[in-house]
């Protein structure tokens, strides 16, 4: 990981700040810290900031803030101080594994010489990091998948998967949004949690830098929680960890 910033033009109204070449927790933590540091400045002209694995994309109004001035504002908060780097939220996400909810569970188990129960225990026994939100509203890309579950993506991607699927692909895990989306990842289960809900005050539940733990639930409890989620309940547990 390099401590130097690389600025890339993204059209007239976009600026991408690259913080390194590696996809790792340290680089991603700096991306998130830079995002927080700039947000704290409340800089006029910045429309939106999108943290990714190793870069921060900044959308801005060039009439309000010229690109060169924006670069200078970024450099003024680099490197981010300790306050911008500390603290995170840890979510516990309920999951109904296998069956119609996770139709690839048995195949993933077969590929790795495991039982479906062993796959569930491995998947639910890890703690994950939300590296970024992207592809579809509320789609969370997660790092931390146990090596025993690293699985090449499907050779025949599905044009549509069930909303709120819990999936894995390569070295990554994911929480899909409550929308039907295409996917080449393997489906292990579904969650009643809605990572995106435009009716909520804060439509997006998860943010880059959050931590995730999965909790297996029964079909009956899943149905009860799904009804609660439909009524507006978050149905996920969260705790804030101070840095």
């Amino acid at each position: 990981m390099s401590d130097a910033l690389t600025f890339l033009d993204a059209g007239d109204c976009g600026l991408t700040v690259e913080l390194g070449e590696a996809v790792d927790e340290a680089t991603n933590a700096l991306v998130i810290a830079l995002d927080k540091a700039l947000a704290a400045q409340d800089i006029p002209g910045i429309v939106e900031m999108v943290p990714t694995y190793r870069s921060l994309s900044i959308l801005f109004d060039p009439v309000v803030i010229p690109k060169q001035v924006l670069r200078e504002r970024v450099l003024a908060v680099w490197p981010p101080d300790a306050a911008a780097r500390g603290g995170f939220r840890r979510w516990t996400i309920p999951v109904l594994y296998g069956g119609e909810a996770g139709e690839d569970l048995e195949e993933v188990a077969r590929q790795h010489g495991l039982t479906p129960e062993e796959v569930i225990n491995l998947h639910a026994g890890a703690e994950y990091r939300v590296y970024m939100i992207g592809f579809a509203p509320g789609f969370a890309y997660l790092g931390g998948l146990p090596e025993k579950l690293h699985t090449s993506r499907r050779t025949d991607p599905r044009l549509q998967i069930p909303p709120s699927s819990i999936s894995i692909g390569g070295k990554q895990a994911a929480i899909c949004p409550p929308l039907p989306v295409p996917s080449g990842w393997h489906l292990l289960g579904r969650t009643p949690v809605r990572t995106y809900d435009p009716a909520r005050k804060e439509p997006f539940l998860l943010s880059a830098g959050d931590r995730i733990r999965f909790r297996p639930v029964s079909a009956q409890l899943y149905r009860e929680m799904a009804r609660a989620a439909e009524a507006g309940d978050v149905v996920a547990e969260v705790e804030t960890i101070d840095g």
Side-chain angles (χ1 to χ4, degrees):
M1 182 187 67
S2 171
D3 289 332
L5 302 180
T6 300
F7 292 100
L8 301 174
D9 287 334
D12 295 337
C13 303
L15 180 67
T16 296
V17 187
E18 286 194 341
L19 277 68
E21 297 182 356
V23 174
D24 56 38
E25 185 170 337
T27 302
N28 186 245
L30 283 175
V31 171
I32 295 165
L34 179 59
D35 177 50
K36 290 180 179 179
L38 287 170
Q41 296 292 311
D42 195 21
I43 299 171
I46 290 182
V47 177
E48 185 179 6
M49 295 187 292
V50 183
T52 71
Y53 283 101
R54 58 185 185 86
S55 66
L56 180 68
S57 294
I58 307 173
L59 305 179
F60 65 97
D61 184 344
V63 175
V64 178
I65 182 169
K67 188 172 290 186
Q68 181 56 40
V69 175
L70 179 56
R71 289 194 184 97
E72 293 169 359
R73 295 299 298 267
V74 171
L75 291 171
V77 298
W78 182 259
D81 61 26
R85 303 190 192 200
F88 60 88
R89 298 180 301 177
R90 178 183 288 127
W91 295 89
T92 300
I93 305 293
V95 180
L96 174 61
Y97 285 96
E100 293 183 359
E103 57 187 287
D104 296 325
L105 175 63
E106 292 191 4
E107 173 59 22
V108 169
R110 186 196 63 77
Q111 286 189 35
H112 295 287
L114 301 169
T115 65
E117 291 73 20
E118 288 173 327
V119 172
I120 293 171
N121 290 338
L122 284 167
H123 185 265
E127 179 167 291
Y128 301 83
R129 176 187 181 87
V130 179
Y131 271 89
M132 61 178 285
I133 306 295
F135 168 62
F139 188 104
Y141 288 89
L142 310 180
L145 182 69
E147 188 173 354
K148 287 184 177 181
L149 295 182
H150 290 183
T151 309
S152 297
R153 299 184 187 186
R154 292 172 55 89
T155 57
D156 54 338
R158 296 179 172 101
L159 296 179
Q160 184 171 294
I161 63 171
S164 300
S165 289
I166 300 298
S167 60
I168 61 173
K171 300 179 181 180
Q172 300 177 93
I175 305 174
C176 300
L179 307 166
V181 295
S183 178
W185 294 36
H186 301 275
L187 309 181
L188 299 187
R190 290 183 70 183
T191 179
V193 175
R194 299 186 173 199
T195 57
Y196 170 71
D197 186 346
R200 288 195 302 247
K201 182 178 180 181
E202 295 293 337
F204 296 98
L205 186 68
L206 306 177
S207 300
D210 286 354
R211 306 298 198 275
I212 302 293
R213 289 176 175 170
F214 294 111
R215 176 170 66 92
V217 297
S218 66
Q220 180 177 344
L221 182 54
Y222 171 85
R223 289 190 293 269
E224 293 172 359
M225 298 179 85
R227 287 193 293 269
E230 187 175 357
D233 195 333
V234 171
V235 304
E237 299 173 5
V238 64
E239 58 180 327
T240 300
I241 309 298
D242 294 330

